[in-house]
Amino acid sequence: MKGGCLQLEQPIQDAVSRIRFAPNSNNLLISSWDSCLRLYDVDSSLLRLQASSPAPLLDCCFHTHSVAFCAASDGCISRYDLDSETANAVGTHHDTATCVAYSEQTCQVVSGGLDKKIIAWDIRSAKAHTHMKIVDAEVESMSVSGFDLMVAIGTSVITYDLRNLERSVHLKELYPDVRIRCISSIPYSRGYAVGSVDGRVAFEILGSLNMNGSGYTFRCHPKSKDGRGHLVSVNDIVFNPLICGAFATGDNEGYVITWDAQSKRRLYELPKYPNSVASLSYNHNGQILAVASSYTYQEGNEMEEPPQIFIQETDGSNIGSSSARPLITTFLFLTITAAAVMSDEEHHFESKADAGASKTFPQQAGTIRKNGYIVIKNRPCKVVEVSTSKTGKHGHAKCHFVGIDIFNGKKLEDIVPSSHNCDVPHVTRTDYQLIDISEDGFVSLLTENGNTKDDLRLPTDENLLTQIKDGFAEGKDLVVTVMSSMGEEQICALKDIGPKN
C-alpha cells in the first residue's frame, strides 16, 4: 500500500469519531468532536464542505452521494444537504446519540444512544414516521445490512428486522463480561463481525432456520517485547467491498491489520499510526482504505498528537482479472508495498476456548456500571456504587467506585479518571454435582467429562455451609455453583435437585 495524509488548511481540532466514503465516489465524510462535519474529495485533494454543528458529532453516514446523516452528543439526528450546505433535524434522543445508519431497503434512518433507545425514522414523508425500541443498556455500535439491524449492547449483539422492531430475531452474548466496542455487517453473508475492548474479533453467521448462528473468535493483538499478550481495544472493522473475505481492523494503539476471514489468518500489518485508529473506511471499489488516526477518549493522557486522516492506496495490479467481479467466491491476495509489515510472531488467531485465557481485560472507567465487575487493589470486585464528577474539557471526569470483593466480601474503593482503562476480571460460574465431603473440609465434585474435582474447600459463608452439610447428610442430590476469577475459585451457590435415587 502507498498513501499519505490528507492536507487540511484548517486542522481538525478535536477527536475524529467516524469516517465514511461515499457510495459511488471518493468523497470522504468526516465527523468529529470539534462539532464539524467535513466532506473531502480525495481525488482532487479538496475540502468541499465544512459544516458546523451545535454539538460534537459522534457518528455519520451517507444517504446518497449528496445527503448525509449525523448523530450528536446533544441527542440530535441531523440531515445534511452536502450540495446546498444546509442542515435540518430529523429527530432527537433524550441523551447522547452514539450511532446512526441508513437502510436503503426500508428508507429509514436508524440511530441509537445513551438513552437506551433505538429509533428508526422513515424519511419518505415530510414528517418522518418513527419506530422506537427501548433496550436494556446503552447502544455502543450498530450496523445495517438489508433488512437486518445489528446492535452492540454491552457484551451482546441483538439483531432486529427493520420491518418490525418489536421483537429481536437473534440474540448472542459473545464475550461474557467483555464489552463490545464495534460491529460491522458482513457484506457477502448474513452475519456480522464484532471487536471487543480486549482485542478480540468474533464472526457470527446467521442461519436461515430459526436464526441459529455459527461462527468463530480470534484474538488480534500485538505481542510486547517479552512475548506476553497485550490487550488492545478493537475500535473498528471494515470489509473490502470487492474481495470476499478481506477485512481490516483498527485498534487503540494505532495498528491497522488486514485479515483473511476464509483462511482465518492475518495478512498484513501497516506501520503504526501516530494516534489510536478511531475509524476505517474502504471506498466503493476497495482500492482505497481511509484511516482516522485520532484520540478516542479511551487513553489515559490528554490529546497529544492532532487528529489526522491517512489514505492508503491498495496496489491491485496483481489481483488478477477476476478481481473485477464483486465479492468473488475465492479469496485473492492483495499485494502491498514493503512498508507493510507481516509477522506471524506478533499476531495470531486463537480458538474460542483459548480466547478467555487472560485473567482480566481493559475497559474504560466511564463505561463501568453498578453490578458490573472491576479490579480494585488487585482483587476482583463487584461494583455496588459508582459516581462520576463533572466532565472536563477532554472528558476526564473522575469515577468513584465502591466494590465488594467477590470472594471475601471486603469493601474496597478506587477513584479513576473516566477516560482511563481499568482492569476488569473475567468471572465465570460453573455447576458441579457434589459427590462427597471430606473430614478436612474439602469437597469432591463431578465434572462434565466424568472426572472428579477435589481441590475446593467448603464455603466460609455460614448459611451456605449449613445448607450444603445438611443437604448432603440427608442424602439429597446437590449441585453447587463454583465462581472463578483471577486464579481463585469458591463455591457460591447451591441447587437442590431432589433426593438420591
Side-chain angles (χ1 to χ4, degrees):
M1 282 185 181
K2 55 185 179 179
C5 180
L6 295 187
Q7 300 301 318
L8 301 174
E9 292 184 5
Q10 298 180 2
I12 301 172
Q13 298 298 315
D14 209 334
V16 173
S17 56
R18 186 72 65 193
I19 55 176
R20 287 286 180 262
F21 270 112
N24 297 300
S25 73
N26 290 336
N27 287 340
L28 185 67
L29 196 65
I30 307 167
S31 61
S32 64
W33 283 80
D34 65 359
S35 304
C36 282
L37 180 68
R38 296 171 175 86
L39 183 67
Y40 193 89
D41 186 335
V42 174
D43 292 335
S44 303
S45 300
L46 180 66
L47 182 65
R48 297 201 174 276
L49 171 73
Q50 182 168 317
S52 297
S53 166
L57 300 177
L58 276 64
D59 199 5
C60 64
C61 69
F62 276 98
H63 172 202
T64 65
H65 72 282
S66 61
V67 176
F69 297 101
C70 288
S73 64
D74 61 0
C76 186
I77 305 298
S78 299
R79 177 186 182 275
Y80 285 82
D81 188 313
L82 305 177
D83 290 336
S84 64
E85 301 185 12
T86 59
N88 62 281
V90 176
T92 58
H93 284 259
H94 290 110
D95 203 336
T96 298
T98 56
C99 42
V100 64
Y102 177 72
S103 168
E104 294 183 359
Q105 276 72 16
T106 63
C107 297
Q108 289 175 310
V109 182
V110 189
S111 62
L114 300 186
D115 57 357
K116 302 179 183 180
K117 292 179 181 177
I118 301 168
I119 307 178
W121 286 277
D122 189 333
I123 60 172
R124 288 174 291 189
S125 57
K127 185 177 181 180
H129 184 63
T130 62
H131 300 272
M132 184 174 66
K133 177 68 176 179
I134 299 176
V135 292
D136 294 333
E138 299 168 350
V139 178
E140 178 72 34
S141 179
M142 64 169 52
S143 185
V144 170
S145 178
F147 292 110
D148 290 329
L149 170 65
M150 300 143 186
V151 184
I153 299 175
T155 64
S156 303
V157 173
I158 307 175
T159 303
Y160 296 96
D161 188 323
L162 283 170
R163 294 166 293 187
N164 181 13
L165 285 176
E166 294 301 319
R167 296 179 59 187
S168 63
V169 295
H170 186 257
L171 171 62
K172 180 79 171 184
E173 184 179 36
L174 293 165
Y175 310 117
D177 302 319
V178 180
R179 183 170 62 91
I180 296 171
R181 182 73 174 88
C182 61
I183 184 168
S184 180
S185 55
I186 300 174
Y188 52 83
S189 180
R190 193 181 187 192
Y192 54 82
V194 300
S196 73
V197 296
D198 72 341
R200 279 180 282 180
V201 172
F203 272 72
E204 188 73 15
I205 306 299
L206 304 180
S208 58
L209 297 176
N210 300 320
M211 292 294 290
N212 293 320
S214 62
Y216 60 88
T217 299
F218 67 88
R219 190 181 294 278
C220 56
H221 56 82
K223 287 184 178 180
S224 56
K225 292 182 180 179
D226 61 4
R228 299 177 63 186
H230 187 48
L231 307 183
V232 181
S233 175
V234 178
N235 292 333
D236 205 3
I237 300 172
V238 290
F239 287 87
N240 189 304
L242 181 68
I243 311 299
C244 182
F247 69 100
T249 58
D251 69 30
N252 214 51
E253 283 206 337
Y255 289 100
V256 174
I257 308 168
T258 59
W259 309 85
D260 177 357
Q262 295 186 350
S263 64
K264 301 179 184 179
R265 69 186 186 93
R266 188 181 69 89
L267 297 178
Y268 301 100
E269 177 188 304
L270 297 178
K272 186 178 179 181
Y273 288 94
N275 276 318
S276 301
V277 176
S279 184
L280 299 167
S281 184
Y282 274 111
N283 71 337
H284 63 286
N285 60 18
Q287 299 301 304
I288 298 177
L289 175 64
V291 180
S293 173
S294 170
Y295 185 85
T296 63
Y297 293 115
Q298 297 182 78
E299 301 86 346
N301 300 322
E302 295 285 339
M303 184 166 52
E304 297 176 352
E305 296 289 337
Q308 296 174 289
I309 308 297
F310 291 88
I311 300 298
Q312 301 290 344
E313 297 182 8
T314 302
D315 180 4
S317 59
N318 294 326
I319 293 179
S321 59
S322 61
S323 66
R325 302 198 309 270
L327 302 181
I328 54 180
T329 56
T330 58
F331 186 84
L332 299 173
F333 294 96
L334 299 177
T335 60
I336 62 178
T337 64
V341 180
M342 183 173 182
S343 171
D344 287 328
E345 294 180 353
E346 293 181 354
H347 293 78
H348 63 280
F349 284 82
E350 292 183 351
S351 67
K352 283 187 176 180
D354 297 331
S358 169
K359 293 181 180 180
T360 64
F361 62 92
Q363 182 170 338
Q364 190 176 353
T367 66
I368 298 175
R369 301 289 184 258
K370 184 178 178 180
N371 296 322
Y373 294 100
I374 189 173
V375 176
I376 301 178
K377 297 179 181 179
N378 295 319
R379 297 296 302 168
C381 299
K382 185 171 184 177
V383 178
V384 295
E385 184 179 337
V386 58
S387 58
T388 306
S389 65
K390 186 177 180 181
T391 303
K393 178 181 177 182
H394 284 296
H396 292 288
K398 300 287 186 180
C399 294
H400 178 209
F401 294 102
V402 179
I404 301 297
D405 191 308
I406 62 176
F407 292 117
N408 60 35
K410 291 183 179 180
K411 180 180 177 181
L412 298 171
E413 298 185 43
D414 198 5
I415 297 177
V416 185
S418 63
S419 59
H420 286 209
N421 279 350
C422 297
D423 285 333
V424 175
H426 289 286
V427 180
T428 61
R429 289 175 174 80
T430 307
D431 289 341
Y432 299 97
Q433 184 172 353
L434 178 64
I435 300 175
D436 194 13
I437 300 176
S438 66
E439 293 182 356
D440 55 359
F442 281 88
V443 296
S444 182
L445 307 176
L446 182 65
T447 65
E448 286 186 351
N449 58 15
N451 296 324
T452 59
K453 179 178 176 63
D454 305 298
D455 57 348
L456 280 179
R457 286 185 175 273
L458 286 165
T460 56
D461 180 270
E462 290 296 334
N463 290 333
L464 183 58
L465 176 63
T466 301
Q467 292 177 31
I468 293 175
K469 285 186 173 181
D470 290 350
F472 185 75
E474 293 171 6
K476 294 181 178 179
D477 270 338
L478 302 178
V479 172
V480 297
T481 301
V482 176
M483 179 169 56
S484 305
S485 182
M486 297 180 66
E488 294 186 45
E489 292 182 311
Q490 182 174 286
I491 295 174
C492 64
L494 172 69
K495 299 176 183 179
D496 181 354
I497 59 176
K500 289 184 178 179
N501 295 326

